[in-house]
Amino acid sequence: MDAKRNPGLMFSLLFFSLSVNNYLSLGADTISANQPLSGDQTIVSAGGSFVLGFFTPGNSSGSKYYIGIWYSEVKVSTQTIVWVANRDKPVSDKSSSVLRISDGNLVLFNESQIPVWSTNLSSTTSSAVAAVLRDEGNLVLRDGPSNLLEPLWQSFDHPTHTWLPGGKIGLNKITNENQRLISWKNSEDPAPGLFSLELDANISSYIIRWNRSIQYWTSGPWDGKIFSLVPEMRTNYIYNFSYINDKNQSYFTYSVYNPSILSRFVMDVSGQIKQSTWSNYTNEWFLFWTQPKTQCEVYAFCGAFGSCDQISQPFCKCLKGFDYKSPKDWYLSDYSGGCVRKTPLQCENTSPANGQKDKFLTMPNMNLPVQAQFFGVGTAAECESSCFNNCSCTAYSYDANNCSIWIGELFNLNQLTEDQIGARTLYLRLAASEFSNHKNNKGVVGAVVGSVAGVALLLGLIVFVILRRRKRAVGTAKSVEGSLMAFEYRDLQNATKNFSDKLGGGGFGSVFKGTLPDSTAIAVKKLESISQGEKQFRTEVSTIGTIQHVNLVRLRGFCSDGSRKLLVYDYMPNGSLESQLFHEKNPTQVLDWKTRYQIALGTARGLVYLHEKCRECIIHCDIKPENILLDAEFCPKVADFGLAKLVGREFSRVLTTMRGTRGYLAPEWISGVAITAKADVYSYGMMLFEFVSGRRNSEPSADGKTRFFPTRATSIMKEGGDVLGLLDPRLEEKADVEELTRICRIACWCIQDDEANRPPMSQVVQILEGVLEVNPAPIPRSLQVFDDNRENIIFFTESSSNQSSQARSNTSAASSQSKSDGQQQVWRPEEQLSENV
Ligand SMILES: *[C@@H]1O[C@H](CO)[C@@H](O)[C@H](O)[C@H]1NC(C)=O
Ligand SMILES: *[C@@H]1O[C@H](CO)[C@@H](O)[C@H](O)[C@H]1NC(C)=O
Ligand SMILES: *[C@@H]1O[C@H](CO)[C@@H](O)[C@H](O)[C@H]1NC(C)=O
Ligand SMILES: *[C@@H]1O[C@H](CO)[C@@H](O)[C@H](O)[C@H]1NC(C)=O
Ligand SMILES: *[C@@H]1O[C@H](CO)[C@@H](O)[C@H](O)[C@H]1NC(C)=O
Ligand SMILES: *[C@@H]1O[C@H](CO)[C@@H](O)[C@H](O)[C@H]1NC(C)=O
Ligand SMILES: *[C@@H]1O[C@H](CO)[C@@H](O)[C@H](O)[C@H]1NC(C)=O
Ligand SMILES: *[C@@H]1O[C@H](CO)[C@@H](O)[C@H](O)[C@H]1NC(C)=O
Ligand SMILES: *[C@@H]1O[C@H](CO)[C@@H](O)[C@H](O)[C@H]1NC(C)=O
Ligand SMILES: *[C@@H]1O[C@H](CO)[C@@H](O)[C@H](O)[C@H]1NC(C)=O
């Protein structure tokens, strides 16, 4: 593309484009000595993937221009910046600023022709130096036209906030330069922000730091295949990570097995490292991995005197008596500036005018801020006065005779709920006048002596109204579209003893046990971050209410009280499959094979109902053992269906936060094609392996071998190996070998890469019922990546009886023989079916 051009023509073209300021592109991938870049000109990489030019970030209108690299519009329709040159030195006029080769460096000159950014190499005089934008998004400075030359400089060695495939994050041991990802300051300012991802080469692990100092997340050390604290990498079939550690440098790099998948890691302004892939289908980035998982785990995210609340939007609030330091930054989701006191403390005032003293505000359910000073044991009053007597003391906490005080600004405060670990009471020092301002504060009502009568009257009225409303609600809980009950918040608060008995948590919210006045047990789900309006919420809820099946958890009712949204379900006494399968308390209570088989079958039936029998096909999107609940008879009930729609566009965020492991996620989620019911089939298949092994697929087995269980199972199934050897050792081989073989085979088919090769759930049911036979499946390509001794795929040709005859034990051989001899149909994937037709 960067062919020989007539430089004279080039110059006149350039002059033309500068003078009329149009959108003429240089049409090349190179900036060379006589081809500078200015104004609206861009260069495009040879394969058309990336573009380099001036840009203005986000919605910031006006005069801040940066040189950046972004995906070409053909590939990614929303402008996505992957690299910025002059991060903290914008130019204000792009047509008189120029990016050109100067003294063997690539240099950006601002409107006064002063260099504001440079590749900073010790100058060479070679006139052959040119900068080329490569198709992987790497801007390379080289001395001469050959692609084979070692680059003098490359943007991949100087990443900004995005890590592209082929890029490096690590340490240059010669220059001692840390190649770290640094977040933008906010969504409109690419200047280096507070959060950075970098390599700790000493222990070959990644860490995320706040202000380049405090570490708040680590990947754990690299063991050659995965980072120890990122076990989900074990199920990673998209990326090939490698660690290079030599005399000159230590770094990680990665590639994507399927080059048509566009993927990136971003150190986000939220302080989280985020991994996403572009979806051609929805024209959006699909976010599928985030660390730390929740926003409030990010150190000091809300700045000084700010408090982070995971279940409200926005996440950050100022403490009572404080106000945003910079409302503009706050609006741009940059909370790091924190909050400032509205009223100065009395103790700072050398001549207190009104003689009032500072007071302490009681703040329940807070995690405690960092950097406390301990005052040892004493009484609560002593603790309070030790803080009170030192004007620099801003807060104290007193717990089990233990007095902690804080000097100066308070950082890293989180608002918790009562049931969370670490919830304590913090006493915050405020000027006394802050208290009388809050008439609603119960603690101060007494101060307003004059209006006591009025208040009492008002209270009486409120109580009266509440009582009436409650009476109505409890007595006749309004029925909405059929059988759903509309509950008042107070009723659910009472039923759950103020949400004291937590059954579990998840991406959609925590679940609490409760009892209705008629003593039916219920499970109440407090939904988090619902962005929907009232009407839409009710519509969706009543749709979910109409979905009823013996293998689906029944929605009894809901509560919608402003931002409080709750769903009320039947209570399931045996908890989730997750707890039964992975955490059984008593080894004699391990789920026996028959029960496991029935649970597999029931779950499949529930999914058939969702996929095929409802008016609209409902894709569950999150099939995993946590979402299969068990009633008193161990009849399985699928939970959490239909919620994806309730949560709406936030779903992809929810999806990533709720997944401890992404081992159940079908490849199409990440490759960005349309999601169909076959995505559930994939997750169901992954779960079937866990029925068999009794442990999580992503966990190392008891013998310490880290081989991914589905990989082991698929290859044993294909070879016709010892199927009983796959069984949960706690079952001591007590299983029907025919059923076991069947489940393993179905599981192998369900997790095929190509969704056309996965059976629909209705056929899974038929196979489990023994109505349909099933042959051994090929090993999915994505699993082969892990398989050290790879074998060629033998695609679906062998007959079932040859393959598994060794595996069949004497007990079931007879019955299976008779079945295969009969007229039984054999299930075949869609592709095979259509080939046969
Ligand atoms: C830009 O503005 C639009 C509409 O006002 C808004 O939806 C969007 O989130 C903004 N984008 C950024 C990056 O602030
Ligand atoms: C160009 O950059 C220099 C150095 O950063 C700065 O002093 C000067 O004001 C800039 N010129 C304009 C017109 O902004
Ligand atoms: C280049 O060097 C100058 C002066 O040493 C420094 O201020 C500037 O940040 C460097 N630029 C880059 C891109 O490293
Ligand atoms: C690695 O170890 C060296 C020497 O012990 C130390 O100076 C350096 O700070 C360590 N690096 C990190 C990232 O902790
Ligand atoms: C970050 O650290 C620098 C010094 O290392 C300090 O000057 C600055 O105030 C810190 N930023 C914040 C927000 O605390
Ligand atoms: C992964 O990347 C390394 C280094 O680039 C390469 O040697 C290796 O063959 C790749 N592995 C696979 C399975 O592609
Ligand atoms: C390290 O760098 C030196 C000079 O820059 C080079 O000669 C040598 O081959 C490099 N070593 C490795 C292992 O890459
Ligand atoms: C998405 O579309 C682009 C442009 O048409 C194409 O190059 C890419 O291969 C597609 N990606 C996938 C995963 O289909
Ligand atoms: C308040 O406490 C801090 C930290 O313990 C101490 O440095 C300071 O001297 C104290 N101030 C007074 C007035 O006692
Ligand atoms: C007081 O509490 C802190 C933090 O909870 C703890 O580290 C410390 O050991 C406690 N001190 C005593 C004397 O209990």
Side-chain angles (χ1 to χ4, degrees):
M1 278 196 100
D2 53 331
K4 309 127 201 156
R5 280 168 190 277
N6 177 342
L9 176 67
M10 201 56 231
F11 266 121
S12 51
L13 268 178
L14 196 70
F15 180 74
F16 178 72
S17 84
L18 289 184
S19 51
V20 299
N21 198 19
N22 67 358
Y23 288 82
L24 190 71
S25 160
L26 284 174
D29 63 355
T30 305
I31 296 172
S32 59
N34 49 18
Q35 286 174 317
L37 181 138
S38 185
D40 289 318
Q41 294 171 320
T42 55
I43 58 169
V44 179
S45 64
S49 296
F50 287 93
V51 179
L52 178 144
F54 282 103
F55 75 98
T56 308
N59 290 343
S60 64
S61 54
S63 51
K64 281 189 175 171
Y65 294 96
Y66 300 86
I67 286 288
I69 299 176
W70 58 90
Y71 294 90
S72 75
E73 211 175 319
V74 189
K75 299 272 179 179
V76 172
S77 54
T78 56
Q79 191 184 54
T80 307
I81 307 293
V82 298
W83 185 77
V84 186
N86 50 328
R87 286 190 82 158
D88 47 3
K89 288 184 187 146
V91 297
S92 48
D93 178 8
K94 59 180 170 177
S95 47
S96 57
S97 301
V98 62
L99 182 67
R100 65 179 154 89
I101 303 292
S102 166
D103 284 341
N105 275 299
L106 184 63
V107 183
L108 175 64
F109 293 90
N110 73 2
E111 41 284 356
S112 355
Q113 302 311 310
I114 297 190
V116 292
W117 177 85
S118 164
T119 50
N120 268 2
L121 301 170
S122 47
S123 63
T124 56
T125 46
S126 166
S127 60
V129 170
V132 182
L133 182 59
R134 294 251 175 90
D135 210 39
E136 66 270 35
N138 191 10
L139 181 67
V140 172
L141 193 69
R142 60 179 199 220
D143 189 6
S146 167
N147 271 326
L148 299 172
L149 287 174
E150 191 63 21
L152 300 171
W153 178 97
Q154 53 180 338
S155 63
F156 270 9
D157 285 337
H158 304 270
T160 54
H161 69 310
T162 300
W163 186 16
L164 292 173
K168 306 169 179 174
I169 304 292
L171 188 69
N172 182 334
K173 292 179 183 168
I174 297 170
T175 63
N176 225 7
E177 187 189 355
N178 219 327
Q179 297 154 335
R180 43 164 89 95
L181 290 186
I182 303 181
S183 63
W184 285 23
K185 203 172 166 310
N186 61 49
S187 53
E188 294 185 357
D189 185 353
L194 281 175
F195 309 111
S196 59
L197 175 82
E198 61 193 64
L199 179 72
D200 183 342
N202 297 344
I203 50 169
S204 61
S205 58
Y206 277 117
I207 53 178
I208 302 184
R209 292 181 172 203
W210 174 84
N211 202 16
R212 320 291 171 271
S213 53
I214 289 167
Q215 172 188 326
Y216 60 89
W217 181 77
T218 173
S219 66
W222 176 250
D223 73 358
K225 280 189 170 172
I226 65 161
F227 292 104
S228 66
L229 300 180
V230 191
E232 57 266 36
M233 283 182 84
R234 203 168 279 127
T235 60
N236 164 22
Y237 38 79
I238 305 154
Y239 303 102
N240 177 10
F241 271 87
S242 26
Y243 185 43
I244 285 85
N245 189 9
D246 60 33
K247 267 193 199 139
N248 298 346
Q249 51 190 353
S250 306
Y251 64 86
F252 280 95
T253 186
Y254 73 104
S255 58
V256 182
Y257 292 121
N258 174 353
S260 71
I261 295 179
L262 299 179
S263 174
R264 61 191 182 125
F265 283 86
V266 171
M267 189 63 234
D268 193 67
V269 291
S270 67
Q272 294 165 303
I273 181 82
K274 294 184 169 176
Q275 190 181 14
S276 44
T277 54
W278 178 255
S279 165
N280 279 351
Y281 177 69
T282 57
N283 278 329
E284 285 180 343
W285 286 99
F286 175 71
L287 169 68
F288 67 96
W289 185 78
T290 302
Q291 286 291 351
K293 287 213 169 59
T294 61
Q295 183 61 73
C296 293
E297 285 171 75
V298 173
Y299 180 80
F301 182 63
C302 300
F305 298 113
S307 150
C308 188
D309 185 351
Q310 192 59 42
I311 61 172
S312 76
Q313 299 262 347
F315 293 113
C316 288
K317 276 201 286 273
C318 283
L319 299 180
K320 271 208 181 99
F322 289 81
D323 219 341
Y324 315 130
K325 192 167 183 184
S326 163
K328 186 171 156 283
D329 288 342
W330 203 269
Y331 173 74
L332 291 171
S333 312
D334 173 11
Y335 306 103
S336 59
C339 308
V340 288
R341 224 175 256 291
K342 288 186 199 161
T343 317
L345 290 177
Q346 229 66 49
C347 65
E348 289 167 352
N349 198 337
T350 41
S351 55
N354 49 13
Q356 275 190 323
K357 287 178 177 171
D358 298 328
K359 289 185 177 174
F360 287 96
L361 176 73
T362 306
M363 300 176 62
N365 305 325
M366 304 297 292
N367 81 325
L368 297 182
V370 288
Q371 283 159 3
Q373 303 198 351
F374 298 112
F375 252 79
V377 279
T379 66
E382 279 165 4
C383 189
E384 178 173 339
S385 72
S386 67
C387 184
F388 186 82
N389 292 333
N390 185 332
C391 197
S392 319
C393 177
T394 45
Y396 76 92
S397 155
Y398 181 78
D399 189 42
N401 296 332
N402 189 346
C403 176
S404 321
I405 67 166
W406 284 266
I407 303 292
E409 294 181 319
L410 301 177
F411 279 101
N412 206 36
L413 271 170
N414 288 350
Q415 177 68 60
L416 306 176
T417 52
E418 274 164 80
D419 48 297
Q420 274 176 289
I421 302 163
R424 300 279 178 72
T425 301
L426 185 74
Y427 300 91
L428 176 71
R429 182 185 206 131
L430 290 176
S433 58
E434 282 295 334
F435 288 85
S436 47
N437 287 343
H438 298 284
K439 294 208 173 91
N440 294 339
N441 192 321
K442 283 179 210 148
V444 229
V445 169
V448 199
V449 180
S451 54
V452 159
V455 169
L457 194 73
L458 198 72
L459 278 180
L461 237 151
I462 291 170
V463 167
F464 178 65
V465 171
I466 288 176
L467 279 178
R468 272 191 59 143
R469 287 181 64 185
R470 277 193 60 201
K471 218 170 179 176
R472 261 211 325 247
V474 175
T476 65
K478 289 166 280 174
S479 186
V480 180
E481 284 198 25
S483 53
L484 277 192
M485 312 245 280
F487 290 90
E488 296 286 333
Y489 185 74
R490 280 197 67 96
D491 295 333
L492 296 182
Q493 217 172 5
N494 290 338
T496 58
K497 300 209 180 76
N498 203 14
F499 303 101
S500 52
D501 189 357
K502 187 168 169 173
L503 295 170
F508 294 111
S510 304
V511 184
F512 301 89
K513 189 184 173 181
T515 314
L516 289 181
D518 67 359
S519 61
T520 11
I522 52 169
V524 179
K525 188 185 262 296
K526 261 180 151 172
L527 293 173
E528 287 169 9
S529 44
I530 296 289
S531 48
Q532 280 195 336
E534 187 66 26
K535 200 171 157 200
Q536 214 181 347
F537 178 78
R538 283 179 185 255
T539 313
E540 287 304 333
V541 163
S542 55
T543 309
I544 299 174
T546 60
I547 303 166
Q548 293 188 13
H549 182 268
V550 61
N551 293 118
L552 299 176
V553 174
R554 187 164 76 102
L555 182 68
R556 284 180 154 266
F558 67 94
C559 163
S560 177
D561 177 358
S563 65
R564 292 161 167 167
K565 306 269 194 261
L566 300 95
L567 298 178
V568 180
Y569 291 100
D570 283 344
Y571 172 72
M572 293 293 137
N574 276 316
S576 74
L577 177 60
E578 188 254 350
S579 61
Q580 294 285 343
L581 205 50
F582 306 135
H583 310 291
E584 105 289 348
K585 305 228 162 50
N586 181 346
T588 62
Q589 282 171 359
V590 59
L591 283 181
D592 64 26
W593 177 254
K594 214 171 187 53
T595 314
R596 292 188 198 191
Y597 199 83
Q598 286 311 313
I599 293 172
L601 183 55
T603 306
R605 287 182 177 139
L607 285 175
V608 172
Y609 187 82
L610 287 181
H611 290 172
E612 297 169 22
K613 304 285 160 57
C614 295
R615 251 182 300 168
E616 278 175 84
C617 167
I618 293 175
I619 307 172
H620 188 287
C621 298
D622 195 26
I623 292 296
K624 56 182 179 184
E626 287 83 347
N627 281 336
I628 311 301
L629 303 184
L630 301 169
D631 73 5
E633 277 76 46
F634 286 91
C635 170
K637 313 254 183 189
V638 178
D640 264 7
F641 53 87
L643 296 192
K645 242 179 149 182
L646 263 186
V647 181
R649 291 176 58 84
E650 288 281 283
F651 184 57
S652 109
R653 189 181 68 76
V654 170
L655 195 68
T656 44
T657 48
M658 71 190 165
R659 248 164 244 280
T661 66
R662 58 165 200 259
Y664 307 94
L665 209 55
E668 57 266 26
W669 277 107
I670 291 141
S671 64
V673 299
I675 297 301
T676 69
K678 292 291 183 69
D680 283 350
V681 175
Y682 184 96
S683 311
Y684 176 82
M686 280 296 177
M687 192 171 70
L688 283 188
F689 285 119
E690 298 177 332
F691 279 86
V692 172
S693 68
R695 62 181 175 89
R696 285 206 193 267
N697 289 332
S698 51
E699 267 166 26
S701 46
D703 60 8
K705 287 189 195 139
T706 53
R707 207 164 170 205
F708 189 47
F709 183 76
T711 308
R712 189 176 143 221
T714 45
S715 64
I716 284 184
M717 291 315 292
K718 212 202 73 192
E719 295 155 7
D722 173 23
V723 67
L724 272 175
L726 293 171
L727 190 65
D728 185 349
R730 294 174 298 177
L731 293 181
E732 295 165 333
E733 305 211 338
K734 284 189 215 119
D736 179 327
V737 175
E738 196 198 340
E739 287 178 354
L740 180 59
T741 308
R742 210 183 277 151
I743 276 210
C744 287
R745 284 187 181 174
I746 299 171
C748 296
W749 280 112
C750 287
I751 62 161
Q752 295 294 309
D753 296 325
D754 183 350
E755 50 182 277
N757 287 339
R758 300 176 207 151
M761 284 315 295
S762 53
Q763 292 180 359
V764 170
V765 168
Q766 288 179 308
I767 297 167
L768 286 172
E769 285 169 340
V771 180
L772 262 180
E773 261 300 350
V774 62
N775 283 339
I779 300 175
R781 203 182 309 266
S782 55
L783 293 188
Q784 289 188 322
V785 169
F786 300 97
D787 204 354
D788 299 323
N789 26 312
R790 289 194 203 187
E791 293 145 22
N792 295 325
I793 297 181
I794 303 167
F795 195 73
F796 205 77
T797 44
E798 300 100 321
S799 77
S800 73
S801 43
N802 292 343
Q803 276 289 304
S804 58
S805 50
Q806 301 155 264
R808 290 191 172 143
S809 82
N810 39 12
T811 49
S812 62
S815 66
S816 68
Q817 215 65 50
S818 65
K819 271 185 189 164
S820 9
D821 292 341
Q823 287 297 308
Q824 196 152 26
Q825 269 193 304
V826 178
W827 175 78
R828 289 182 187 288
E830 283 169 38
E831 267 184 8
Q832 292 264 316
L833 281 177
S834 50
E835 275 166 26
N836 291 351
V837 171

